Amino acid sequence: MSERGATGPGPAAIQVSRIMRPDDANFAGNVHGGIILKMIEEAGAIISTRHCNSQDGEPCVAALARVERTDFLSPVCIGEVANVSAEITYTSRHSVEVQVNVMSENILTGAKKVTNKATLWYVPLSLKNVNKVVEVPPIQYARKEQEEEGKKRYEEQKLDRLETKQRNGDVIFPIINPDRQTKEPHTVGYSQSSLIHLVGPSDCTLLGFVHGGVTMKLMDEVAGIVAARHCKTNIVTASVDAINFHEKIKKGSVITISGRMTFTSNKSMEIEVFVDADPFVDEGRERYRAVSAFFTYVSLSKEGKPLPVPQLLTETEDEKRRFEEGKGRYLQTKAKRQAQLQQAALH
């Protein structure tokens, strides 16, 4: 890990770098999106925890609360170095916004390209009492507009988290060893997948709760399995909608990560992923929803060219409803992207 001077309003930005190994990638040599998400979260956790402990006060650890939508602009390959830089861009009384950029570097040629940009929100939790959120030291802004823009982003994510929690009662029944012979290819049931994971010490922070990056990596694995089963081709993560961390997951819990296809366009597929936790170490607590998100994948040929995605076959009314909701998100994202391109062209 290296550090560089601050480029924004917050404390000195940090950079985390790592060379990509074969076990970080799929059979085509493309690095899993979950590996990059884990690196992004590690950089965010370091800078936000460091900032929250920069003044005299209660020692604390920054816990990931939310990741805004992030696009995977370009795949990272085996042998390349992923350089992840993070800086704090806004603080409220009890939360920290961290902006993260990922750049891949070919160390043989020196060629570099931006692969990811992400925004993460952290909440500092006391080391003495994990249920206590401590106050965040304020940062200095170069311009008053930066603070106002940050406050607007803070209010928007707060509202979106509330809306997500309200519609978060949906259930995906775990499918561990389904009889796919009885399922029609390209249906929701055919590709639906689950993974069960026992949370160990290496998955956790100093507070004994799961690192957000560990959870996101597992979610990406499940979403990737769903996408691969649907297409039967090489697939890569294209984007992840906002990931909301609703509740902490304690060491010793068993988590079930479940994914199902919700929508397909000609070139992409949306997969809904839930993380449910069974806190066996706390017998008085029922199973609960910990994290939820939508992942978008694309199908690639051996040459890395986009392939058409088989149309999702919906069978039940719920599947048809989720397909239409997914279509709405797809069209909304497409419209936003076109507006951004038009705006860039004007400048």
Side-chain angles (χ1 to χ4, degrees):
M1 183 186 83
S2 61
E3 294 190 18
R4 53 184 175 84
T7 58
I14 67 163
Q15 183 167 294
V16 177
S17 300
R18 183 159 80 74
I19 194 162
M20 298 293 102
R21 303 181 300 267
D23 57 348
D24 295 322
N26 61 20
F27 61 86
N30 302 127
V31 172
H32 295 293
I35 297 290
I36 303 299
L37 287 170
K38 190 168 183 283
M39 287 188 70
I40 286 172
E41 198 278 328
E42 285 170 357
I46 291 168
I47 195 169
S48 51
T49 298
R50 181 180 288 170
H51 174 69
C52 292
N53 288 283
S54 61
Q55 296 182 6
D56 291 337
E58 212 168 325
C60 61
V61 172
L64 183 63
R66 175 180 167 92
V67 181
E68 300 293 354
R69 178 188 169 87
T70 177
D71 292 303
F72 290 76
L73 307 171
S74 179
V76 184
C77 299
I78 294 169
E80 292 183 336
V81 171
N83 298 304
V84 183
S85 58
E87 65 177 333
I88 293 173
T89 46
Y90 178 77
T91 56
S92 70
R93 191 181 174 193
H94 291 123
S95 64
V96 180
E97 179 193 55
V98 180
Q99 301 275 2
V100 181
N101 288 321
V102 185
M103 186 168 280
S104 66
E105 175 190 359
N106 184 319
I107 51 177
L108 301 180
T109 65
K112 295 180 180 179
K113 58 187 175 185
V114 176
T115 63
N116 290 79
K117 291 184 178 183
T119 302
L120 300 88
W121 293 91
Y122 287 85
V123 174
L125 303 177
S126 167
L127 273 177
K128 295 175 184 174
N129 177 6
V130 296
N131 294 314
K132 181 182 177 183
V133 179
V134 303
E135 288 199 20
V136 175
I139 60 171
Q140 298 299 313
Y141 299 94
R143 302 189 326 275
K144 181 67 179 172
E145 293 80 18
Q146 288 178 322
E147 184 175 8
E148 289 168 357
E149 289 163 5
K151 188 174 183 180
K152 186 181 175 186
R153 294 192 299 270
Y154 168 73
E155 295 296 342
E156 285 173 352
Q157 66 86 27
K158 203 172 167 185
L159 187 64
D160 190 70
R161 275 176 63 78
L162 189 65
E163 288 175 358
T164 305
K165 207 158 191 176
Q166 286 172 348
R167 65 172 186 264
N168 208 27
D170 213 351
V171 174
I172 303 179
F173 292 105
I175 306 289
I176 306 304
N177 290 307
D179 182 7
R180 296 189 197 278
Q181 305 293 331
T182 64
K183 307 284 184 185
E184 188 76 25
H186 307 140
T187 59
V188 175
Y190 183 83
S191 59
Q192 186 175 323
S193 304
S194 298
L195 184 154
I196 293 177
H197 179 77
L198 174 65
V199 176
S202 63
D203 298 323
C204 296
T205 66
L206 296 170
L207 294 171
F209 295 101
V210 179
H211 281 288
V214 170
T215 310
M216 290 192 293
K217 182 174 178 290
L218 291 168
M219 292 172 80
D220 181 70
E221 283 179 19
V222 169
I225 292 168
V226 173
R229 279 182 169 147
H230 183 77
C231 290
K232 300 195 184 305
T233 60
N234 175 33
I235 47 88
V236 293
T237 315
S239 66
V240 186
D241 269 15
I243 304 176
N244 289 293
F245 291 77
H246 308 291
E247 294 199 45
K248 300 186 289 292
I249 303 170
K250 203 170 184 178
K251 181 172 65 181
S253 298
V254 170
I255 55 175
T256 303
I257 307 99
S258 300
R260 65 182 168 205
M261 192 78 66
T262 49
F263 170 76
T264 54
S265 68
N266 292 333
K267 294 283 178 67
S268 67
M269 53 204 129
E270 181 191 73
I271 295 125
E272 184 176 30
V273 183
F274 291 151
V275 179
D276 293 315
D278 283 308
F280 291 158
V281 290
D282 183 2
E283 291 181 6
R285 181 122 199 241
E286 298 286 321
R287 179 186 175 105
Y288 62 92
R289 174 68 39 79
V291 194
S292 59
F294 290 99
F295 285 70
T296 299
Y297 277 75
V298 292
S299 173
L300 298 179
S301 67
K302 290 177 183 176
E303 295 75 34
K305 302 292 183 186
L307 290 172
V309 169
Q311 182 72 16
L312 179 66
L313 303 178
T314 53
E315 298 174 302
T316 68
E317 288 305 313
D318 278 345
E319 289 171 4
K320 288 171 185 173
R321 172 184 55 80
R322 287 193 291 268
F323 186 92
E324 289 304 315
E325 290 171 352
K327 187 178 180 180
R329 286 185 289 271
Y330 168 76
L331 293 173
Q332 193 175 26
T333 301
K334 197 174 178 181
K336 272 186 189 174
R337 193 174 294 131
Q338 286 172 343
Q340 287 168 351
L341 288 171
Q342 287 170 352
Q343 197 172 14
L346 291 171
H347 289 84

